[in-house]
Amino acid sequence: MQTEIKTETIRTLRNGVRLNFLRSAEIPPPEKFLSASELEKCSGFKIEKRKSDWLGGRYAAKTLLREILELPLSLCKIEITYDLFGRPVWRGGSGPHLISITHSGPFCAAAAKTEPCVFLGIDLEKAEPRVKPWYEDYFHKEELHLQVTSNRYPATIHPVTDYRSPATIHLATRLWTEKEALLKALGLGLKADPLDIKIGKEIQFSNAALKRYEELGRPEYLLETSRLETGYYLSAVAD
Ligand SMILES: CC(C)(COP(=O)(O)OP(=O)(O)OC[C@H]1O[C@@H](n2cnc3c(N)ncnc32)[C@H](O)[C@@H]1OP(=O)(O)O)[C@@H](O)C(=O)NCCC(=O)NCCS
C-alpha cells in the first residue's frame, strides 16, 4: 500500500484536471515502474529521446493515477494502454480511465480526472520562432490577430504581419497547444487537419474534428492555457 505518498509535482487546474508535470531525466529506472509488457515495449525504442519521453509520460501517468484514484497498487501494476482512438487509458478500474500525455524538451506531463471523463487532452510546447508555412498550414487567418494597446488610444486588433515578432510567436504557440490538446481529446492527433479547429471567441470544429466530437456525444468542456516560467505553454481541456 503506497497511497499515502503525496506527489509534489501534481496540481489541480481550474477545469478540474489533475496534472503531473516532471522532468523526464528525473524519474526512477524503468524496472521500478513498468510492467513486463511495458518493459518489453521500452526495449524496442531505437531513439534515446523518444524512449526517455515515453518513459517520462508513463511515470507521470502512473504516479498521477495512483495518487488521485488512491490505488493500492505498485506502479508496475498500473499499466497504461490506448483506447481505440489512440488515447492513453488505464483499464484497471470499472471502465477505461482516460489519461493525456505530453512531452516537450526536457519536460513531460500527464493529466487525468478523478471521475471518469470522455474528453481530455493536454499539450506542452515551447514558444519559439517558426517558418511562415507553419503559420499558414495550421492557422486560419482570423486566428492570427494581435491586440495592440496604447496609452493614448483604445486597444485595436490587427492581423499578424511579422511572423518573427515575440507577440506572434507567443500567440501562435498558445493557439497550437490549444489545438493539439483538443485534437488529443478528440483522439485524432495530427490525423486530423489542425484547420478543422478554429479558435476565436468560441471554438468551432469542422470536418473530421466535428465528426469525432459528435461521435463522443458533443461533451461540454473547459479549455485552460497557461504560460509557464520556462517559456513553455501548457493547454489542458476536459469535460
Ligand atoms: C497526438 C500527436 C499530435 C502528439 O504529437 P506531439 O505533440 O509531437 O507529442 P506530445 O508529446 O505532445 O504527445 C504525445 C502523446 O500523445 C498521445 N497520443 C498519441 N496519439 C494520440 C491520439 N490519437 N489521441 C490522443 N492522444 C494521443 C500519446 O500518449 C503520446 O505519448 P506516448 O507516445 O508517450 O504515449 C501525434 O502523436 C499524432 O498526431 N498522433 C496520431 C497520428 C499517428 O498515429 N501518427 C503516427 C506517428 S508515428
Side-chain angles (χ1 to χ4, degrees):
M1 291 274 281
Q2 299 185 48
T3 52
E4 70 280 6
I5 294 171
K6 286 277 171 272
T7 311
E8 284 173 8
T9 52
I10 295 176
R11 63 197 159 102
T12 307
L13 306 183
R14 282 193 299 274
N15 56 10
V17 170
R18 306 294 304 274
L19 180 85
N20 194 6
F21 189 92
L22 300 166
R23 282 183 177 269
S24 306
E26 292 171 1
I27 61 167
E31 311 75 56
K32 300 267 186 217
F33 64 92
L34 293 186
S35 69
S37 63
E38 287 171 332
L39 277 171
E40 198 184 325
K41 177 164 178 175
C42 180
S43 66
F45 286 112
K46 304 260 181 313
I47 301 165
E48 207 45 48
K49 171 77 172 108
R50 174 70 189 116
K51 181 175 169 176
S52 74
D53 280 349
W54 185 84
L55 282 169
R58 256 74 230 140
Y59 184 73
K62 287 168 179 241
T63 45
L64 176 71
L65 288 172
R66 186 176 63 177
E67 181 160 317
I68 68 169
L69 302 180
E70 301 182 2
L71 302 175
L73 295 171
S74 76
L75 295 179
C76 299
K77 294 234 163 75
I78 303 171
E79 197 164 308
I80 310 296
T81 57
Y82 297 94
D83 72 3
L84 70 146
F85 299 141
R87 303 180 299 181
V89 287
W90 174 64
R91 293 181 195 278
S94 51
H97 200 98
L98 204 52
I99 308 157
S100 190
I101 292 174
T102 185
H103 355 77
S104 188
F107 304 108
C108 58
K113 287 189 85 172
T114 309
E115 65 278 14
C117 62
V118 297
F119 199 77
L120 175 76
I122 56 166
D123 192 56
L124 177 72
E125 298 288 339
K126 188 174 185 186
E128 54 194 358
R130 315 263 184 171
V131 292
K132 198 172 165 210
W134 180 80
Y135 287 90
E136 292 165 346
D137 286 351
Y138 294 137
F139 302 106
H140 296 270
K141 282 204 175 65
E142 302 90 313
E143 291 177 310
L144 294 176
H145 279 68
L146 290 167
Q147 184 168 323
V148 179
T149 46
S150 132
N151 292 336
R152 298 174 61 192
Y153 304 105
T156 48
I157 308 284
H158 295 276
V160 159
T161 48
D162 180 359
Y163 292 100
R164 287 155 304 176
S165 80
T168 307
I169 292 166
H170 282 275
L171 168 70
T173 308
R174 177 186 193 95
L175 286 168
W176 179 242
T177 60
E178 292 177 345
K179 287 194 183 208
E180 278 223 24
L182 287 160
L183 287 168
K184 286 183 184 174
L186 292 164
L188 289 167
L190 292 177
K191 276 180 261 173
D193 186 341
L195 296 177
D196 288 357
I197 298 178
K198 191 174 185 183
I199 300 180
K201 282 204 182 97
E202 287 176 359
I203 294 170
Q204 291 168 23
F205 297 127
S206 58
N207 304 316
L210 179 59
K211 187 165 176 278
R212 178 61 54 77
Y213 184 60
E214 283 173 349
E215 273 170 31
L216 291 172
R218 301 182 72 93
E220 279 186 30
Y221 61 84
L222 286 172
L223 173 64
E224 182 175 331
T225 305
S226 25
R227 183 177 168 179
L228 310 179
E229 284 165 14
T230 47
Y232 283 74
Y233 279 82
L234 178 89
S235 286
V237 61
D239 63 337

